[in-house]
Amino acid sequence: MRVKYLTKLSQVEQFSPEELKKLQKVEKKYRFRTNTYYLSLINWDDPDDPIRKIAIPQLEELEEWGSVDASHEADYTKMQGLQHKYPDTALFLVTNVCGTYCRFCFRKRLFFDHNEETLRPDISEDIEYIRSHPEITNVLLTGGDPLILSTPQLEKIISQLREIDHVKIIRIGSKIPASNPYRILDDPSLLEMISKYSFPDRRIYVITQFNHPRELTDVAIEALDKLRRAGAELANQTPLMRGINDKPEVLKELFQKLSFVGNPPYYVFQVRPTVGNKPFAVPIVEGFKIFQRAIADVSGLAKRARFVMSHHTGKIEIMGLFDNKLVLRRHRTAKREDECMIMVYEAKPDAYWLEDLGEPLYTYSPLMD
C-alpha cells in the first residue's frame, strides 16, 4: 500500500471549511502530521472517535496547562541528543519527526521551530560517552520516531552501538507499527538489519505504542509478527487518556489483544502535564481505578503492565488505594538511595501529578535498612 504523509490540516478531505478554520488555530501552535493509513482507521461519523483524538487537533489543546518539559529531561541531557537519567540506561533522541504527531505527545517541544535537542549527524561524541560508561547496558532510541528514519540511517546508529560490548539491549521506541505498519511490511531491509544486530544474548527490543485496540489491525499484527520473526523482542506502552482508553473495557481489550499477538503490555503512563495535554488528562486516583478494573479479569500475560508516572525524579509506580490513601513506589530512580521507596499520600481526587498530592504522609526506603 502506498502511504502518503500529510503535514497540513487542509490536506484532510473530511473537514468542512468551518471546522478546518477552527482547527487551524491549534495547528498554528502545535504541528500536525499524520498519514493516509492512520486516517483510514478513523470513523469520521463519530466526533468522539478515539483514533481521531490521537491524530486530529482539538480546540481544548489551547487551554493553558502544564509545561513544555514536564519530566525535566533537560536536567539529564549530557550533550545534544543524549540523555542519561538511570545508571544503566541512556537515551538517544534520533529524530524530531514522527509518522503521526500524537496530540498528547509529551515531547511536542521537539516539533517547535529551532529545537536542537536531537542527535547531530556526527554521533561520535555520543557513542564515545556510551563507550566510556560501562554501567550503561541499555540504549533507547527514541525521538521523534526512529522508524521514520531510513534503514541505512538507523543502521548507522545501531551498528556503532553493537560495537560496544557492555550495551546488551538496544530499544527502538516507535508508534510506526500502529500508525504506519507498511513502513515495516514494505522494507525487507529493515527486518534484515534487525536480524543482523539482534543476538541471542544481546537483543533489539521494539517498544510499540498501541493506545487503542482498533489500532491492532490485520496489517499491524502482520508487521509485529515480522518484527518478532526477525529477532526483535516486543513490548507495548501507552498513556491512559481521556476519550481514548479511559474505559476499563477498552483498556482490558487492549491488554488482551496485545498479549494474544505477542506484544505484552509494559508501561501504562499517567498523562504528563505537558502543554496542550489537558484534554487527555485523567486524575491519578481515577486512572488507578480504571487500570485496576482493566487488569482484573485478564491473564497474567496481559496484566504485566505497571501504571506509572514518568516524573523528573524517575518512574513512580501507582500501586494501591485504601482508606483514602494512595500508595506509590519509586520504580526507577536517578538516585540509587531512592530506589524502591514506598510513599503514602492523601488520595486527592483532583491530583494529576506528584506535586498535586502535597507532602507524603509516610515514606519507607527498604534500601536504607
Side-chain angles (χ1 to χ4, degrees):
M1 177 178 176
R2 184 175 180 273
V3 176
K4 179 182 178 182
Y5 281 97
L6 312 177
T7 58
K8 296 291 183 183
L9 280 172
S10 57
Q11 295 173 290
V12 181
E13 300 174 353
Q14 288 83 355
F15 294 137
S16 67
E18 296 78 14
E19 186 177 22
L20 178 61
K21 186 176 180 180
K22 288 180 181 178
L23 295 183
Q24 283 176 328
K25 297 176 183 177
V26 186
E27 184 182 22
K28 286 181 181 179
K29 188 170 185 179
Y30 304 121
R31 285 186 178 175
F32 166 80
R33 178 181 166 93
T34 190
N35 62 74
T36 50
Y37 166 81
Y38 203 56
L39 290 181
S40 74
L41 305 185
I42 296 174
N43 176 4
W44 291 97
D45 294 329
D46 179 7
D48 293 322
D49 181 84
I51 312 301
R52 176 181 176 132
K53 287 181 181 292
I54 293 171
I56 302 298
Q58 48 187 309
L59 288 175
E60 290 79 7
E61 292 175 41
L62 297 176
E63 183 177 344
E64 292 297 326
W65 192 74
S67 62
V68 173
D69 184 5
S71 292
H72 299 214
E73 291 188 310
D75 293 346
Y76 301 102
T77 298
K78 302 303 179 181
M79 61 192 68
Q80 186 171 335
L82 188 152
Q83 296 176 21
H84 190 189
K85 182 173 184 176
Y86 307 125
D88 58 3
T89 303
L91 183 152
F92 276 2
L93 295 173
V94 300
T95 179
N96 63 352
V97 180
C98 289
T100 287
Y101 289 160
C102 299
R103 307 312 305 175
F104 53 83
C105 182
F106 72 92
R107 279 201 195 111
K108 53 173 64 77
R109 68 184 188 275
L110 295 186
F111 314 132
F112 295 167
D113 291 336
H114 311 301
N115 184 282
E116 295 182 349
E117 290 187 53
T118 53
L119 284 178
R120 298 153 294 186
D122 180 3
I123 64 170
S124 56
E125 187 178 353
D126 308 85
I127 292 294
E128 184 54 39
Y129 180 92
I130 303 294
R131 184 177 286 110
S132 64
H133 285 75
E135 73 275 17
I136 296 175
T137 60
N138 288 252
V139 177
L140 168 60
L141 309 184
T142 182
D145 196 312
L147 291 186
I148 207 72
L149 300 178
S150 69
T151 297
Q153 288 175 312
L154 196 56
E155 183 170 9
K156 177 183 176 182
I157 299 169
I158 290 176
S159 63
Q160 293 183 70
L161 290 172
R162 269 294 171 249
E163 293 174 355
I164 304 173
D165 187 61
H166 58 261
V167 174
K168 304 301 184 183
I169 291 176
I170 298 172
R171 283 184 269 171
I172 300 172
S174 178
K175 191 174 173 63
I176 286 290
S179 68
N180 179 16
Y182 288 100
R183 161 69 182 98
I184 299 160
L185 296 178
D186 293 345
D187 183 9
S189 68
L190 173 65
L191 301 171
E192 292 167 3
M193 188 271 290
I194 289 174
S195 294
K196 183 177 178 181
Y197 296 105
S198 189
F199 306 137
D201 61 338
R202 288 178 291 160
R203 285 293 183 187
I204 289 178
Y205 280 69
V206 177
I207 309 299
T208 66
Q209 187 171 147
F210 288 89
N211 308 124
H212 190 277
R214 274 194 15 228
E215 294 175 316
L216 283 157
T217 62
D218 289 345
V219 289
I221 292 170
E222 183 182 357
L224 293 173
D225 184 58
K226 286 188 178 297
L227 288 170
R228 289 180 67 250
R229 290 176 184 273
E233 299 290 337
L234 303 178
N236 189 78
Q237 55 191 33
T238 178
L240 194 159
M241 295 172 287
R242 182 74 74 201
I244 296 174
N245 55 22
D246 62 329
K247 293 183 173 60
E249 60 272 20
V250 173
L251 201 57
K252 172 184 174 180
E253 183 184 357
L254 178 63
F255 291 164
Q256 287 179 316
K257 285 190 172 181
L258 287 168
S259 69
F260 296 161
V261 302
N263 186 22
Y266 176 35
Y267 285 130
V268 173
F269 290 108
Q270 175 70 7
V271 166
R272 304 184 208 206
T274 306
V275 290
N277 281 8
K278 186 58 164 63
F280 304 102
V282 177
I284 298 168
V285 170
E286 181 185 351
F288 179 74
K289 291 177 179 178
I290 293 167
F291 177 76
Q292 288 296 303
R293 288 196 291 268
I295 66 173
D297 298 316
V298 300
S299 74
L301 293 171
K303 65 170 60 177
R304 287 187 285 178
R306 296 176 186 267
F307 184 35
V308 301
M309 265 184 287
S310 208
H311 192 256
H312 76 269
T313 58
K315 288 186 175 64
I316 300 173
E317 184 178 3
I318 303 155
M319 291 185 64
L321 183 65
F322 73 99
D323 194 25
N324 201 38
K325 304 293 190 298
L326 190 66
V327 181
L328 309 180
R329 182 179 71 91
R330 292 195 179 276
H331 176 61
R332 293 242 62 193
T333 61
K335 296 180 179 179
R336 177 73 171 83
E337 61 268 24
D338 291 339
E339 198 77 32
C340 302
M341 179 183 288
I342 302 294
M343 303 175 291
V344 179
Y345 290 84
E346 179 187 345
K348 296 180 179 180
D350 58 348
Y352 289 88
W353 205 239
L354 186 67
E355 282 72 14
D356 299 335
L357 293 170
E359 292 298 317
L361 303 173
Y362 171 81
T363 63
Y364 167 67
S365 179
L367 298 187
M368 300 303 290
D369 282 353

